[in-house]
Amino acid sequence: MAIEPNELPQVKNLSELAQRVAGCQRCVLAETRTNLVFGVGNPESDIFFVGEAPGYHEDKQGEPFVGAAGKLLDELLLTILGINRKDIYIGNVLKCRPPNNRDPLPDEIIKCRPYIERQIELINPLVICALGSFSTRLLLKSNVYISKVHGAPITIDNRLIFPTYHPAAALYAGTTKKILADDFKKLGDILMNITRPEKPTSAKEDEDREQMELF
Ligand code: URA
């Protein structure tokens, strides 16, 4: 049975969330999708790449970024960040393909938003790379223009959001591809220098450790 948003906090891991989201009927996209595209990758990753919505190939295969834009994303990951897609987590604002790849509608984004929010909480990445306007606006909670905010990280809810252009926008525009590549270099610098803060220990844990050191 599909999950209701008020049940999401009780879902304790990504695979359970994926199972519970699978039958979603919250918006009209359920009527036209072939597969719901939940997300893939390493749930322990420090970075989560968030795109817009599945396209034709993603809808058919049930996996994000497997078409032309995905090939460019893979290339940027490997050549600039030196990482493979299986080492990161990748998902989308919308889990289902809008017909003919039209833009997501506000109602669809609002209905789907609890899923990406719970995914973020469960993955708990240090950095979220927002790919394109829809993802950037959702994650920055602001009506910004990607041309103005790309390449500059912003901390929201104690997490670094790094907005950049959507790889699809760079497929046929050399200048956008260059900007995207430059942004990925900045992202690489951020990832090299960021560390997960130490988990605060309780006074009891400190006391136990001191005791252990006695023996
Ligand atoms: N574009 C997206 O935003 N996401 C995909 O998964 C594929 C193309």
Side-chain angles (χ1 to χ4, degrees):
M1 235 241 312
I3 194 163
E4 288 302 320
N6 63 357
E7 297 174 299
L8 284 164
Q10 286 114 55
V11 176
K12 291 290 175 265
N13 60 57
L14 270 190
S15 45
E16 189 191 337
L17 183 64
Q19 281 171 21
R20 301 293 307 273
V21 170
C24 180
Q25 298 286 331
R26 300 198 75 222
C27 81
V28 290
L29 299 181
E31 290 165 23
T32 49
R33 73 175 176 232
T34 312
N35 287 294
L36 184 145
V37 181
F38 178 75
V40 288
N42 176 5
E44 309 281 319
S45 176
D46 283 340
I47 181 155
F48 185 1
F49 286 80
V50 180
E52 181 179 312
Y56 175 84
H57 295 285
E58 291 77 18
D59 174 66
K60 288 274 171 284
Q61 295 181 38
E63 186 168 330
F65 284 99
V66 288
K71 295 224 161 38
L72 177 56
L73 178 63
D74 286 351
E75 178 192 316
L76 292 163
L77 289 172
L78 208 56
T79 57
I80 301 180
L81 301 182
I83 47 179
N84 194 288
R85 72 148 55 207
K86 72 175 178 4
D87 300 322
I88 56 160
Y89 202 86
I90 315 179
N92 283 307
V93 170
L94 292 190
K95 304 293 181 249
C96 300
R97 182 192 182 207
N100 302 315
N101 299 345
R102 62 154 168 75
D103 282 350
L105 299 176
D107 169 70
E108 294 159 359
I109 296 177
I110 290 165
K111 297 232 169 87
C112 214
R113 185 171 59 193
Y115 300 150
I116 189 85
E117 286 177 348
R118 189 70 186 130
Q119 269 179 313
I120 292 169
E121 283 169 3
L122 290 169
I123 296 166
N124 192 21
L126 292 172
V127 182
I128 304 176
C129 180
L131 299 166
S133 292
F134 286 95
S135 172
T136 298
R137 288 181 176 187
L138 182 87
L139 293 164
L140 295 185
K141 304 175 190 186
S142 173
N143 215 8
V144 291
Y145 287 93
I146 194 68
S147 55
K148 297 267 183 294
V149 298
H150 75 90
I154 296 179
T155 301
I156 303 270
D157 298 336
N158 294 320
R159 220 182 286 286
L160 217 56
I161 312 294
F162 185 89
T164 189
Y165 283 93
H166 193 288
L171 283 177
Y172 308 104
T175 46
T176 311
K177 189 171 177 185
K178 165 91 176 64
I179 299 171
L180 190 57
D182 288 344
D183 284 355
F184 264 64
K185 285 177 198 147
K186 290 182 199 158
L187 181 58
D189 291 341
I190 291 169
L191 292 173
M192 292 259 277
N193 292 304
I194 198 163
T195 49
R196 206 169 270 284
E198 291 266 320
K199 242 200 189 157
T201 56
S202 68
K204 172 80 176 66
E205 279 172 334
D206 286 343
E207 203 181 300
D208 285 352
R209 193 167 307 115
E210 278 166 27
Q211 288 289 312
M212 297 279 278
E213 280 162 11
L214 293 178
F215 304 105

